[in-house]
Amino acid sequence: MTFDSTSKPRHLGDDTAILKPSIIPQSYETGDVLPQSQPAGAPVTVKQSPFAKSWAHLIAGGLGGMASATLTAPLDVLKTRLQSTFYQNHLAASRTARGLPPIETMSFARSSLLHIRETFQILFEVPAAEGWRALFKGLGPNLIGVVPARAINFYAYGNGKRIIAEWGNGGRESAWVHLCAAASAGIITGTATNPIWLVKTRLQLDKSTHVDGKGRQYKNALDCTMQTVRKEGIRGLYRGLSASYLGVTESTLQWVLYEQMKLRLARREERLQARGGAATWWDETVQWTGKLGAAGSAKFVAALITYPHEVVRTRLRQAPLENGALKYTGLAQCFKLIFKEEGMVALYGGLVPHMLRVVPSAAIMFGTYEGVLKLLGTSSNVD
C-alpha cells in the first residue's frame, strides 16, 4: 500500500492552512485575547475622555474675553456710571434745571429717548472733563477679571457640557444639558471672580475730585483692595455676590439660546448639503456670520430680560457713604429702595450703553472662542 502524501516531501509553504491564524488571535503564553492587527497607517479609534483637550476651552475663553473687554471698555465705564447713585442724582438735577418732570412720570417712549440722549451726553462729558483715558478707567482690573472669568466660564461650561452629556444623556447634547452646564459655570465663575469685579466697579465710580476737595479715594487696584479689606473686612470683597448669583440666570439663558441657534444653523447646513447645487449669496452670508449673529442675538435677549440685576449689583458694590454706613445692605433691600426712591426706570439705568457694549462684545467673544478652538483642533460641540 502506498500513500501519495509520502511520495514527495512536504514544504512549509505548500499548505498555508496548517499555520492559518485563528479568527480570534490569542497569546501563546497566557491565552489572553490579543487586539487584531491593522494595516499600517490605519486610524486607531480611541474613545476620548470627557476631559480631552479641556485646556483648549480655557485658552479660547480667556482670549475671547480679552478681545471683547478691550474693544468695548469705554461703553463699560459709561454703563457703570449710569448705574450708580452719583450719576443718577447728577442727571436728576440736570433735568430739574431744564424744567423737565421726573423721568418716572414720563411716558415709556419719552423716557427712552431721554435716556439715550443722556447716555451720549455723559459719553462726551467724561473725556472732556477727565481726558480720554478716563474712558478706559478700570480696564486693568477689568482685564485681570475678564480673562480668568471668561477662561473659567468657558472651561467650566465646555467641559461641564461634555461630562453631563456623556454621563447623563448618552453622549448627546440637549437643552437641559446646556442649562445645567451653564448654571454650574455661572456659579463657579461668580464665586471665583467677585472680588475683582468689586474693585473694578469702585475704580470706575471713583471721581477725579471729591466734593470735599480731596483727591481720588483710591490710588490703584491694590489700594482699593486694601482699603476695602481694612474698612469692611474680607466679606467686603464679596459684596454684590448675591446679585452675581442672580445674574447666573442671564448667562444661563444666553448659553441655552446660543446653543439652540447653533443647532438650527447646523440643521440648515445639513439641508443645504442634502439639496445640493450652488449656494446662494445669502447661504454664504449665513455660513460666515451665523454664529456671530447667534451670539449677539442670544446676549441681547438674555440681557434685556435680566438687566435689573446689573443695576442692583453695581449699587451693592458701591463704596460706603461718608459716615461709613452702607446705603444698600442686601439684595431685596436694594431692589425695594431703588424702586421706592427712583422708580422702575432706575432699574434700567445704563441699559443703552450696556446693550451697545454687550451685543458686539458677545459676538467678538464667542467668535474668538469658536475660532481658537478650531485652531487648536477641537470644537465646542460634544459630538
Side-chain angles (χ1 to χ4, degrees):
M1 179 181 293
T2 60
F3 296 93
D4 293 337
S5 58
T6 58
S7 60
K8 60 179 181 179
R10 201 176 188 95
H11 299 286
L12 183 63
D14 290 344
D15 191 356
T16 57
I18 297 175
L19 298 178
K20 186 177 181 180
S22 62
I23 297 176
I24 303 177
Q26 294 178 309
S27 169
Y28 286 110
E29 298 173 353
T30 64
D32 295 335
V33 177
L34 301 176
Q36 295 187 22
S37 60
Q38 297 188 19
V44 179
T45 303
V46 179
K47 186 177 181 180
Q48 289 189 335
S49 163
F51 292 97
K53 287 201 172 181
S54 61
W55 52 269
H57 296 277
L58 196 73
I59 296 173
L63 291 176
M66 181 186 296
S68 64
T70 304
L71 295 174
T72 60
L75 291 170
D76 185 47
V77 173
L78 183 59
K79 176 210 73 172
T80 303
R81 294 195 175 194
L82 283 170
Q83 289 175 346
S84 69
T85 305
F86 174 80
Y87 282 92
Q88 286 299 319
N89 292 338
H90 170 72
L91 292 173
S94 177
R95 295 183 205 114
T96 303
R98 299 202 309 268
L100 295 174
I103 194 169
E104 58 268 19
T105 63
M106 297 181 183
S107 65
F108 176 77
R110 189 181 180 189
S111 63
S112 298
L113 290 174
L114 181 61
H115 180 59
I116 294 172
R117 178 184 173 184
E118 291 174 341
T119 296
F120 285 98
Q121 175 187 335
I122 292 183
L123 180 62
F124 292 115
E125 283 181 357
V126 170
E130 305 174 50
W132 66 269
R133 295 180 67 178
L135 291 173
F136 291 88
K137 266 187 178 179
L139 180 59
N142 193 25
L143 284 176
I144 294 173
V146 163
V147 173
R150 297 308 177 193
I152 292 170
N153 187 264
F154 281 92
Y155 177 87
Y157 177 79
N159 292 288
K161 179 178 70 171
R162 187 177 300 276
I163 294 168
I164 294 170
E166 289 285 343
W167 293 352
N169 202 37
R172 298 184 304 275
E173 294 187 41
S174 64
W176 75 266
V177 171
H178 302 151
L179 185 70
C180 294
S184 302
I187 292 172
I188 293 170
T189 305
T191 304
T193 60
N194 193 79
I196 300 173
W197 298 127
L198 179 129
V199 171
K200 186 211 76 166
T201 299
R202 292 191 175 183
L203 285 175
Q204 289 181 335
L205 295 178
D206 192 20
K207 300 174 287 297
S208 295
T209 305
H210 287 284
V211 291
D212 58 5
K214 296 180 180 179
R216 291 178 59 192
Q217 183 175 353
Y218 306 115
K219 297 177 182 178
N220 48 45
L222 179 61
D223 181 55
C224 180
T225 304
M226 297 306 294
Q227 285 195 44
T228 301
V229 173
R230 187 165 58 250
K231 295 176 181 178
E232 305 169 57
I234 295 295
R235 292 183 62 183
L237 293 174
Y238 287 89
R239 288 184 53 77
L241 182 59
S242 56
S244 293
Y245 286 158
L246 186 61
V248 171
T249 57
E250 178 186 347
S251 61
T252 300
L253 182 58
Q254 179 188 356
W255 271 115
V256 172
L257 290 173
Y258 175 64
E259 293 285 8
Q260 292 303 308
M261 291 179 188
K262 275 177 58 180
L263 182 60
R264 289 182 179 274
L265 289 171
R267 288 174 179 171
R268 184 180 188 276
E269 189 67 25
E270 290 175 359
R271 288 196 301 270
L272 290 175
Q273 292 179 356
R275 186 184 66 189
T280 64
W281 68 271
W282 177 248
D283 296 332
E284 295 286 348
T285 302
V286 172
Q287 185 177 7
W288 282 98
T289 64
K291 288 185 178 180
L292 294 178
S297 301
K299 185 63 176 181
F300 179 84
V301 174
L304 189 63
I305 292 174
T306 63
Y307 184 75
H309 91 272
E310 293 269 356
V311 176
V312 172
R313 185 171 59 189
T314 296
R315 299 289 182 95
L316 287 171
R317 287 174 177 167
Q318 288 180 175
L321 301 175
E322 294 295 331
N323 59 6
L326 294 169
K327 182 175 182 179
Y328 304 107
T329 57
L331 188 64
Q333 183 262 0
C334 187
F335 265 112
K336 291 178 182 178
L337 192 57
I338 293 173
F339 185 79
K340 179 182 178 180
E341 294 184 345
E342 305 168 55
M344 184 67 183
V345 69
L347 290 171
Y348 286 88
L351 177 63
V352 173
H354 181 70
M355 287 300 189
L356 289 174
R357 182 185 72 87
V358 298
V359 172
S361 175
I364 294 169
M365 183 167 57
F366 278 79
T368 304
Y369 170 70
E370 298 281 1
V372 173
L373 284 182
K374 189 174 182 180
L375 287 175
L376 296 175
T378 185
S379 76
S380 59
N381 298 327
V382 171
D383 298 330

